[in-house]
């Protein structure tokens, strides 16, 4: 992977994550869950918890692995090569947030999260001040999931743990092309008042924003692994598939486009890694935003090209290459895709 | 269309718009998917009864002999009204081929059924090993008495599972070049020995299928042109086929979808200069495509266009450009599988975007088209032969 | 050229315009005038007047050729193949405007214009209401030229013929990369009052806007001929230039890019022709705007590609291909290039 | 650069910024052209005296042995301060080659003069018939006693007319492969028999020249490496050269120009969402380039990067992207030949845009680079050999 400061520890994470994803069903599972609800396996989720992944960005004193955002990205880049469908990104970030800023009341929730008993997803969009709170396009909000919802600014900043589905919190979920979901959640005032306040105040807000940036980076890393694997699949196909008695990969026009796609992948990866190195600096938000903008655009460019490289078989659902485009569409647009991130970047 | 319409054309446009408004069944309007023939054939027959099913066919065979401008008017009004996409293999491919290369008997037997919507056709060209390199096809037909006995395997057959007939290229002998020894034949898909397997596309619909032939017998009278001369039949109408495959119909449909999405206040697109530029881009590219289409079509009418190869690339890449913009505008909602709804009806988010991946692949990949332009139109040397 | 309704008359214009441009010095002259002031030849201008070109869009009753906008575009597409430097576009449009809406006082000016005695250029930018009037980026405003300046709206619409250079109308000109100029003109109130009013009122405003659109179309047609000739030059080079014992035009990656450039040229040409057909309809402004947006973008894309196709020699000033990029830069940006036209298109 | 800087790095940045602020002569700041060596060498020597002229050279030869991060800090601060572009053939090409492949005598003779700015070097690789296909070069050198006698013709020699020395590839014999029999030689340009002809670029400056050799004698001691083994010498440092040619230095300079232009109120860029997106795009692409550069440079330090071929393409196309945006923002003023002026100084409109056409051509065209990536990095089959 040619990232210069890749330590042995990171390599270990990468290898074991890839192995796990392959072993737990790989692309076949990514395909199978498309029409399932929820679109992931409870059993796999428990195994993931057992591996300690949910605490990868949680300090050791809070029973996490204490490995930081670089490990988060390494993990995600690996699992995305086989399109792991489980909602790792919002869960990892929720854990990091709760460990960082969680009130005493949140300790149980963090433990439940890390041990895989509860799925906790934080909702990056900040709810506006007036009730009922409306949150749109919340990813990975499966039934039974606990959603962390934030409201207010500064000293008024307030995060509650809410389980949508009851009278006080309606949820309407819609399926995405990869089988994941986007939900609209409407929180009534009485539900908000009833809900556990898991964090509050200025410092919690900073931790929240940091965790949101962690999600941006996590999704970016996921997109990097995804597009790299898609391109590799296309390259393998182009070596094997012959037309005019020639492997199509020998046609220079395709070669140059494959090279362009390759540059897109490696430049996006380098930017994600660099953004990890900026995670504890004032550049954090700008870096996360840049990484997400670039990875989102590149992932869509590369996966579309990969389908074209495959020709007709790439357009058939039975071939796996289409799974990569569909997943890229879902992950690229979360928390805002290329355009939204660029406009945000300019304002930071 | 930008140009001045004649009074007659303007009248035709009003007539079409009014008629479509009154006649497209509500459940088929602004669909966010291409309906299967079963769902669409009633509408097909209605259009046929109105006389508009075959704008480009000669009147003598039931067509309209419409001018290129009238054809664009039909496309524009169909798109605006949200008319559904219809099966086109009969109208755009085998019909014109039979008009040009068929025997009187063949024309009489097959053309009326196409016009009336009584027979659905599919194309049997591609094979698993023969895509861009079509001449390497391996489906064989043995002449046996008055029959051909066909064995082999076709793929990417659009709506093959719904079709009644297939026009196919099969190999009847080995020639000096690979294009020789290929025969063009019409196959009744009810003939024993045929198995069909639908193929689901990445957009989730069963638009294609594979077709397997196991000792399928076809009477020799179903051969179009001479035995072994099928390549010439299949390519006899290349110019006209480029017009069909390079028409702005799909881009117009995509543009209407784009505008419907952009007009939805949830996406805050119309007031943002960033999107204003994108929307203008989509419109301008569509106008350039319409202009190109009219130009080539009118040249074709006057005795053959000298350069029409570019239309297929322009048409298909314009559609993809428009749909990329649609995805951008949809923002965080862009991956939603099912359409959204608003007062105007259904809003497609992903169906056409995914479905349109095929456009740059089918009908000769855009890569093959670019090579044709480079060598045939621009006169650049054929790769590999320039080696000293 | 494969434009379906190209009449014999148009073909004649195209052929004779190409012949004239070649005969009057062709690319060598386009090169030579780059560092001259003014950047065109008075002698050539007189010959152009003698050919009647300046009245191509002037009705026959006003001693013009009465051929309309399609002939304007045919003429410009032809002369641009050898980068004719003379300011045909604003002069042709000025003549059409004066013939269409000129007051009695403008008759002499129109005759002087058409007979080549005076260079008259209309300035598309409308001056704001308060004096002094400031006009920026006016192309082709050579010393001694008469500039048509418009002010006001509706019944207050008022066009004056002004000769910049004196006390009442300062002019500051700057050279462009092709040798043409952009000028800033500042008209004092007393100069405006002194100047001949060549047209006024609602109808004049309509004629003015039409003439401005004629300039957009004329520049678009010029860009089409320019990019087509540049691409042809590159194609010829690619057939001849060998590397690795192979004509570089046999390399598929270059072939496909050449094909893409070709599509850009023919689609832009088709749009310009279609916009001509919309010239007397309510779609006129939208069509002209679309044509200019597309031709401007395409001309820059194609000429940049053509330099790359030439490799190092394309980067040397001694090769003519660079003249095409430089001229494309000047013409593409007049009255607004791609972006400005697209934003305008959206507002129309 | 996005990453956290160490305290030492942050100190270094402050030191560089302060020193540049105090020391770049005003007439050389924010130039809108690349100054000729005559104009720039005083500044070169000043930087040399400060110890910053050769960040990537070993200390023992007068370099800084700077870390990649320090190198990027230097580039960023140079760009911000508007420091002029300097001749680099000595520092980036022949210097490192001599350090790796030269004899102790050669190193002693040539390296100090490069560091001090006493000798300007140029590269003699390309020939009229040998560009992308460099191995087809035809400039011949005959061995005659202790000398080489050179006849031939080099072209695209950056600043050859100002250079004191040329490092060149010449053919001393025919080998089995075309890469064999090529010799790497150092040529004193004062030697009789050399004629130079400047070549004006499309940006209007004389940055290149042609160099003609007519029985030019060069002592054999000026050969680097073995006779006939020059190809190996020229390619010994490919990885390092990719780092130089793929560095973000030019993109950073382009970005500074873009921001200076966008900040000018005449162009109304900063408040327009359309341009905001473009400006963000330019910045993000530059950050991606810096990240890529750091990543490859750090891998190189740790014993060789496995994939650095992409840097040249990324660096050069990023520059062109930024300058396309600059042209868009300049709008109707975009074709102006000479710089505009405002309170901040000169604003370049067209010089760098035209000048940057060369970036995708020189140093191995981006087409050649893409073929290298496809075949060497991605492992796709070499074209032409896949034929059955």
């Amino acid at each position: 992977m040619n990232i210069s400061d890749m330590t042995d520890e990171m390599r270990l994470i990468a290898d074991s994550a890839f192995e796990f994803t392959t072993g737990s069903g790989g692309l076949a599972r990514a395909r199978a869950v498309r029409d399932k609800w929820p679109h992931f396996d409870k059993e796999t989720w428990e195994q993931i918890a057992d591996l300690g992944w949910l605490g990868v960005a949680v300090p050791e004193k809070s029973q996490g692995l204490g490995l930081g955002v670089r490990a988060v990205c390494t993990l995600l880049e690996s699992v995305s090569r086989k399109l792991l469908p489980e909602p790792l990104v919002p869960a990892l970030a929720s854990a990091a947030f709760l460990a960082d800023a969680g009130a005493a009341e949140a300790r149980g929730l963090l433990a439940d999260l890390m041990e895989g008993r509860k799925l906790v997803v934080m909702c990056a969009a900040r709810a506006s001040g007036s009730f009922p709170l409306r949150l749109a396009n919340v990813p990975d909000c499966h039934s039974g999931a606990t959603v962390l919802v934030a409201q207010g600014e500064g000293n008024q900043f307030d995060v509650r743990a809410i389980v949508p589905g009851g009278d006080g919190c309606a949820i309407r979920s819609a399926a995405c092309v990869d089988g994941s979901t986007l939900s609209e959640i409407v929180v009534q005032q009485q539900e908000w008042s009833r809900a556990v306040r898991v964090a509050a105040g200025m410092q919690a807000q900073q931790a929240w924003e940091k965790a949101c940036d962690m999600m941006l980076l996590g999704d970016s890393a996921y997109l990097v692994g995804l597009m790299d694997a898609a391109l590799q699949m296309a390259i393998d196909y182009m070596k094997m598939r012959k037309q005019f008695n020639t492997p199509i990969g020998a046609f220079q026009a395709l070669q140059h486009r494959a090279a362009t796609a390759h540059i897109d992948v490696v430049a996006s990866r380098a930017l994600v890694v660099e953004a990890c190195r900026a995670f504890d600096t004032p550049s954090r938000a700008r870096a996360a935003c840049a990484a997400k903008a670039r990875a989102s655009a590149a992932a869509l460019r590369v996966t579309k090209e990969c389908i074209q490289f495959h020709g007709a078989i790439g357009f058939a659902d039975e071939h796996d290459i289409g799974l990569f485009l569909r997943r890229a569409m879902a992950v690229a647009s979360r928390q805002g895709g290329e355009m939204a991130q660029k406009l945000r970047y300019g304002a930071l | 269309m930008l140009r001045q319409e004649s009074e007659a054309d303007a009248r035709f446009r009003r007539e079409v718009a009014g008629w479509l408004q009154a006649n497209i069944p509500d459940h088929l309007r602004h669909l966010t998917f291409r309906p299967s023939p079963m769902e669409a054939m009633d509408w097909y027959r209605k259009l046929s009864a109105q006389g508009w099913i075959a704008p480009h066919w000669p009147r003598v065979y039931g067509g309209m002999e419409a001018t290129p401008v009238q054809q664009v008017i039909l496309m524009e009004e169909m798109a605006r009204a949200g008319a559904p996409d219809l099966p086109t293999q009969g109208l755009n491919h085998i019909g014109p081929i039979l008009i040009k290369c068929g025997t009187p008997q063949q024309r009489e037997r097959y053309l009326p059924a196409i016009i009336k919507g009584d027979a659905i056709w599919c194309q049997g060209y591609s094979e698993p090993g023969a895509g861009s390199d079509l001449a390497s096809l391996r489906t064989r037909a043995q002449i046996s008495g008055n029959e051909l006995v066909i064995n082999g395997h076709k793929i990417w057959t659009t709506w093959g599972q719904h079709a009644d007939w297939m026009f196919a290229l099969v190999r009847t002998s080995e020639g000096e070049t690979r294009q020789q020894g290929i025969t063009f034949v019409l196959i009744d898909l009810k003939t024993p020995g045929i198995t069909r397997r639908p193929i689901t596309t990445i957009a989730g619909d069963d638009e294609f299928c594979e077709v397997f032939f196991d000792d399928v017998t076809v009477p020799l009278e179903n051969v179009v042109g001479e035995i072994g001369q099928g390549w010439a039949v299949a390519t006899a109408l290349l110019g006209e086929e480029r017009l069909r495959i390079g028409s702005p119909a799909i881009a117009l449909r995509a543009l209407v979808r784009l505008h419907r999405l952009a007009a939805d206040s949830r996406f805050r697109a119309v007031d943002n200069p960033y999107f204003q530029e994108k929307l203008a881009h989509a419109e301008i590219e569509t106008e350039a495509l319409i202009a190109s289409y009219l130009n080539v079509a009118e040249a074709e009418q006057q005795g053959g266009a000298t350069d029409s190869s570019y239309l297929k690339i322009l048409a298909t890449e314009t559609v993809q450009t428009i749909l990329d913009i649609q995805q951008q505008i949809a923002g965080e909602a862009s991956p939603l599988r099912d359409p959204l709804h608003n007062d105007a009806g259904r809003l497609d988010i992903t169906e056409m975007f995914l479905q349109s991946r095929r456009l740059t692949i089918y009908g000769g990949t855009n890569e093959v088209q670019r090579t044709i332009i480079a060598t045939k139109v621009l006169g650049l040397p054929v790769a590999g032969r320039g080696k000293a």
Side-chain angles (χ1 to χ4, degrees), chain A, chain B:
Chain A
M1 260 182 286
N2 188 29
I3 290 296
S4 49
D5 72 343
M6 188 94 164
T7 59
D8 289 346
E9 188 168 44
M10 292 298 155
R11 247 176 262 281
L12 207 66
I13 294 174
D15 293 347
S16 71
F18 183 73
E19 234 169 84
F20 174 79
T21 313
T22 309
S24 67
L27 293 175
R29 202 165 62 85
R31 172 180 295 280
V33 298
R34 282 191 303 175
D35 303 313
K36 276 176 59 181
W37 178 262
H39 83 297
F40 72 100
D41 293 322
K42 205 163 174 322
E43 202 182 310
T44 311
W45 190 249
E46 282 159 9
Q47 290 165 355
I48 284 173
D50 287 348
L51 287 164
W53 288 3
L54 300 175
V56 68
V58 169
E60 288 175 270
K61 68 173 164 41
S62 307
Q63 279 73 53
L65 300 178
L67 290 172
V69 71
R70 183 64 192 284
V72 169
C73 287
T74 304
L75 179 63
L76 286 161
E77 187 183 333
S78 259
V79 301
S80 67
R81 301 184 70 88
K82 297 285 179 189
L83 303 178
L84 187 85
E86 277 67 27
L88 268 180
V89 171
L92 286 174
S94 298
F97 169 72
L98 290 172
D100 191 3
E105 295 82 349
R107 269 182 222 148
L109 186 62
L110 176 57
D112 286 348
L113 193 179
M114 283 169 60
E115 285 162 33
R117 285 189 298 270
K118 277 190 184 165
L119 172 62
V120 182
V121 296
M122 55 185 288
C123 167
R126 198 84 60 82
S128 73
S130 57
F131 285 97
L133 306 179
R134 286 175 192 285
L135 300 159
N137 298 319
V138 186
D140 291 326
C141 193
H142 302 282
S143 104
T146 302
V147 185
L148 303 186
V149 178
Q151 197 207 19
E153 292 284 338
N155 289 328
Q156 305 303 313
F157 184 81
D158 185 346
V159 181
R160 308 274 169 125
I162 291 174
V163 181
D167 282 351
C169 180
I171 178 167
R172 213 172 52 185
S173 300
C176 296
V177 287
D178 64 333
S180 71
T181 56
L182 289 174
S183 304
E184 192 185 14
I185 297 171
V186 182
V187 186
Q188 302 296 336
Q189 182 146 24
Q190 79 274 21
E191 179 74 16
W192 179 265
S193 309
R194 206 162 43 210
V196 177
R197 174 185 299 177
V198 295
M202 198 97 76
Q203 231 179 322
Q205 182 174 354
Q206 284 162 13
W208 180 265
E209 283 161 7
K210 196 166 172 176
C212 287
D213 286 338
M214 184 183 281
M215 289 203 287
L216 283 181
L217 280 178
D219 281 333
S220 304
Y222 192 98
L223 290 167
V224 167
L226 176 158
M227 62 177 131
D228 196 10
L231 181 58
Q232 193 54 56
M233 186 177 274
I235 299 285
D236 291 343
Y237 182 77
M238 289 160 78
K239 288 178 187 168
M240 176 271 286
R241 167 78 173 172
K242 286 188 177 183
Q243 290 284 274
F244 306 103
N245 284 322
T246 307
I248 61 171
F251 290 110
Q252 200 193 37
L254 292 183
Q255 290 190 338
H256 283 204
R257 284 162 57 185
T260 299
H262 171 73
I263 296 165
D264 231 355
V265 174
V266 289
S268 299
R269 175 184 290 126
L271 187 59
V272 170
V273 172
E274 188 70 12
C276 287
R277 295 196 180 105
F279 198 68
D280 292 308
T281 76
S283 313
R284 186 197 71 226
R286 219 160 51 83
C289 187
K292 182 72 189 335
R294 200 189 197 292
S296 299
L300 292 171
R301 279 194 294 264
V302 169
T303 52
K304 285 189 289 186
E305 271 289 69
C306 287
I307 286 178
Q308 184 71 20
F309 291 155
H310 276 82
I313 189 71
F315 183 67
D317 185 58
E318 66 199 62
H319 196 286
D320 287 335
I321 193 68
L323 300 177
F324 287 84
L325 169 60
R326 292 164 73 121
R327 185 85 174 130
M329 290 165 69
V331 179
S333 54
R334 288 183 176 190
Q335 286 184 262
E338 179 189 12
M339 197 276 304
Q341 294 299 339
K342 280 186 185 163
L343 291 183
R344 187 177 153 236
Y345 183 94
L348 282 172
Chain B
M1 197 167 51
L2 293 167
R3 70 174 66 183
Q4 173 99 62
E5 283 168 23
S6 70
E7 197 29 63
D9 287 336
R11 227 177 8 248
F12 178 63
R13 185 186 288 281
R14 286 191 299 272
E15 185 193 348
V16 172
W19 188 86
L20 290 174
Q21 184 58 33
N23 287 282
I24 305 177
D26 274 349
H27 72 280
L28 290 180
R29 262 176 220 266
H30 291 296
L31 290 185
T32 52
F33 56 91
R34 190 175 177 185
S36 74
M38 280 165 338
E39 297 167 279
M41 288 314 281
D42 275 352
W43 166 243
Y44 185 112
R45 290 186 197 104
K46 212 160 167 182
L47 255 184
S48 174
Q50 176 67 9
W52 293 344
I53 196 68
H56 52 293
W57 282 31
R59 272 183 217 280
V60 60
Y61 298 115
M64 274 178 79
E65 265 176 43
T67 62
V69 164
Q70 288 172 326
Q71 293 181 37
V72 169
I73 288 172
L74 272 168
M75 294 176 209
E76 286 181 339
E77 296 305 323
M78 294 269 196
R80 204 189 316 268
D85 206 1
L86 294 174
T88 57
Q89 297 288 348
L91 292 166
N92 290 348
H93 296 278
I94 186 60
I97 284 175
L98 290 177
I99 289 171
K100 173 142 185 170
C101 309
T103 62
Q105 292 75 14
Q106 286 171 337
R107 287 200 284 259
E108 202 171 316
R109 174 162 179 200
Y110 300 111
L111 297 183
I114 293 173
I115 289 289
K116 287 189 207 143
D118 291 341
I120 296 170
W121 284 82
C122 66
Q123 184 190 65
Y125 286 4
S126 293
E127 299 181 8
S132 290
D133 184 12
L134 185 56
S136 68
L137 61 88
R138 293 169 173 209
T139 294
R140 311 221 150 235
Q142 190 94 36
I143 302 173
S144 164
N146 279 333
E147 291 178 330
L148 287 174
V149 183
I150 301 176
N151 282 283
H153 178 188
K154 294 287 177 184
I155 195 167
W156 315 125
T157 311
T158 304
W159 278 330
Q161 69 274 44
H162 301 293
D164 304 297
W165 285 82
M166 171 186 275
F167 57 101
L169 292 175
V170 295
R171 185 163 291 290
T172 40
S173 64
E174 301 293 335
E176 266 182 44
T177 71
R178 299 183 312 160
Q179 284 75 19
Q180 290 171 353
I182 289 176
T183 295
F184 192 107
V185 64
L186 311 177
I187 305 170
D188 182 342
L189 292 172
K190 290 188 297 294
T191 318
I194 294 176
T195 316
R196 299 183 251 187
R197 184 180 76 85
I199 301 174
T200 306
T201 73
I202 53 170
D205 38 28
D206 288 347
E207 207 185 76
F208 293 113
C209 79
E210 273 182 295
V211 184
F212 300 87
F213 298 89
D214 187 11
D215 283 337
V216 174
T217 57
V218 175
L220 275 178
E221 68 194 45
N222 284 16
V223 169
V224 182
E226 301 293 313
I227 291 274
Q229 303 296 314
W231 192 262
V233 174
T235 56
L237 286 164
L238 268 193
E240 218 202 284
E241 287 191 359
R242 274 192 204 119
L243 274 177
R244 300 285 88 75
I245 207 165
S247 100
I250 305 176
L252 284 164
R253 196 178 304 131
L255 192 62
V256 167
R257 293 195 192 196
L258 176 66
H259 281 303
R260 285 160 58 88
L261 188 81
D264 188 297
S265 61
R266 279 172 284 186
F267 299 107
R268 277 167 287 180
V270 282
D271 299 326
N272 180 332
Y274 178 80
F275 286 128
Q276 285 164 355
E277 193 269 351
K278 298 279 174 235
L279 291 169
H281 183 72
E283 280 198 51
I284 291 170
E285 288 305 297
T286 304
E287 291 296 355
L289 171 61
I290 295 172
S292 300
Y293 175 79
L294 285 171
N295 177 33
V296 174
E298 288 168 353
E300 193 77 23
Q301 278 194 329
Q302 288 161 32
T306 53
D307 172 17
S308 63
S309 318
Y310 72 97
L311 266 187
K312 193 252 169 170
I313 296 175
L314 188 66
T316 54
E317 295 180 5
T318 298
V319 173
Q320 293 186 348
T321 297
I322 296 170
L323 295 167
D324 281 345
I325 295 170
Q326 181 188 302
Q327 279 279 299
Q328 278 204 331
I329 289 178
E332 292 188 41
S334 63
L336 288 176
R337 195 183 58 196
D338 299 323
L340 293 181
H341 293 80
N342 70 7
D343 293 345
R346 280 172 288 234
L347 298 178
D348 171 38
I349 307 288
T350 51
E351 192 273 343
M352 196 172 185
F353 173 80
L354 287 170
Q355 189 65 275
S356 76
R357 294 300 114 211
R358 118 193 123 181
L359 298 181
T360 44
I361 298 168
Y362 81 161
T365 65
N366 286 24
E367 287 75 22
V368 167
Q369 304 293 342
R370 281 193 161 79
T371 298
I372 290 171
I373 291 174
T375 56
K376 302 275 168 65
V377 181
L378 304 179
L380 290 170
V382 173
R385 300 209 188 138
K387 302 257 178 196

